[in-house]
Amino acid sequence: MSIYQDHFAGLSELERLAAMAADPERVHEIGEDQWPLAMMAVGLMTCNDETKRTENNRIYGIFMQKCPVAARRGSLPNLARFITGRKGEGWQALLPYAGVEQDVATAAKAGLLIATLAKPSKSTPLDGVQAVVDLLCHAETCTAGPLIAILSLADMRVLPLLSPLNSLPQERLESYLTSLTGAANRLSCTWLAELAQARPELIPAIVPALARTLAKAPTVLDVAMPIPTWAYTAPTPQPLHGWSPAEYYARLLPTLSPLLSPTQLADLRTACRVS
């Protein structure tokens, strides 16, 4: 008999669903419409217990099997409201949504919530960014979504925290770079240029990523992000500076021209609309 079964009558609905999700004998009794709430319950009730992370990741795998992407992504705003209302407490409940989720857009949304909602420590306001980088380095199932999220912050305070990514195996970094989307900003361009210097074997993947993102950028921005967002009445990014793609190509040229072939430089010029 399940260790939870005799106690269901005294549990709240959240506790009941979390208990069922963790119980191999009853997990498959959870209906598709109940799974988003059940996954939230699992995360929130164990968010401060690091020994539960592997188990929560396993449960998230069942969540992916039971619910379509729209339902999984749709539960993120509810989690975000809960975490915001508690000034960053419970943000660890988002970790499986970023590190296990295989839909890149959903994982990116979760990664951005972690980066901007995590309760900061006394030493840094960017503990959430550090947690996302840790997922990218160590979560075997991690997609490029969390990388897309932290690069989209466009805040140069993030750059030093990205250094562990530069030591990842070539195949893993290539996978992330191939899936990189969004518009370029100073943070993403600087990281990619520094990665080209540190890991020249990755240049065939770096150049298309740079070109693809620069082509989408009307302006290459450097901003100050309000992190954590719940600490601000109006959490609006503060632009610090902006360059046209052509201007930013000129900024990148001294770093990249010794490393790139004429064809690769031409691809960047085209993406940056250099006349």
Side-chain angles (χ1 to χ4, degrees):
M1 181 179 289
S2 161
I3 62 172
Y4 300 109
Q5 195 167 350
D6 290 339
H7 303 286
F8 278 170
L11 296 176
S12 71
E13 180 64 9
L14 282 179
E15 290 171 323
R16 186 181 74 84
L17 286 171
M20 288 181 70
D23 183 355
E25 294 183 19
R26 303 207 62 179
V27 63
H28 298 294
E29 297 177 18
I30 301 174
E32 180 180 315
D33 61 332
Q34 295 176 300
W35 259 108
L37 186 58
M39 191 66 234
M40 289 172 55
V42 167
L44 291 172
M45 292 188 176
T46 62
C47 59
N48 293 321
D49 187 349
E50 293 187 9
T51 67
K52 299 291 187 180
R53 300 285 163 79
T54 299
E55 174 68 2
N56 290 358
N57 289 344
R58 183 191 67 79
I59 294 170
Y60 195 92
I62 302 173
F63 181 35
M64 285 196 295
Q65 295 171 11
K66 298 293 184 179
C67 287
V69 169
R72 303 197 303 267
R73 193 181 305 169
S75 65
L76 287 172
N78 291 328
L79 262 176
R81 281 191 290 271
F82 183 96
I83 296 163
T84 298
R86 286 152 184 80
K87 300 187 182 303
E89 292 287 352
W91 66 267
Q92 296 92 337
L94 290 161
L95 291 172
Y97 292 82
V100 180
E101 174 60 55
Q102 292 304 288
D103 177 69
V104 173
T106 302
K109 185 174 181 179
L112 187 61
L113 290 173
I114 293 170
T116 56
L117 292 181
K119 187 174 183 178
S121 66
K122 293 182 180 179
S123 59
T124 174
L126 302 178
D127 282 359
V129 173
Q130 184 64 67
V132 173
V133 172
D134 288 345
L135 287 176
L136 288 162
C137 289
H138 303 299
E140 294 182 1
T141 54
C142 200
T143 68
L147 178 60
I148 293 168
I150 54 176
L151 291 179
S152 75
L153 293 171
D155 188 320
M156 289 297 287
R157 291 177 298 166
V158 171
L159 185 62
L161 301 179
L162 300 181
S163 58
L165 299 178
N166 296 1
S167 300
L168 288 178
Q170 180 175 344
E171 184 177 355
R172 186 159 192 168
L173 272 173
E174 285 175 342
S175 173
Y176 289 157
L177 293 169
T178 300
S179 301
L180 203 60
T181 60
N185 54 64
R186 185 187 177 195
L187 171 64
S188 61
C189 288
T190 303
W191 178 67
L192 287 167
E194 291 186 357
L195 185 62
Q197 291 177 299
R199 301 286 297 275
E201 73 275 15
L202 290 167
I203 287 175
I206 292 170
V207 171
L210 255 179
R212 188 168 60 249
T213 57
L214 281 164
K216 296 178 181 177
T219 305
V220 179
L221 289 174
D222 178 17
V223 308
M225 279 294 295
I227 298 174
T229 53
W230 47 261
Y232 296 82
T233 303
T236 304
Q238 178 64 46
L240 301 177
H241 199 78
W243 300 264
S244 72
E247 290 171 335
Y248 213 83
Y249 173 80
R251 287 176 61 88
L252 289 170
L253 200 56
T255 299
L256 295 180
S257 59
L259 301 171
L260 272 54
S261 70
T263 300
Q264 290 167 331
L265 286 171
D267 289 342
L268 288 183
R269 281 198 303 272
T270 300
C272 293
R273 288 86 81 189
V274 178
S275 58

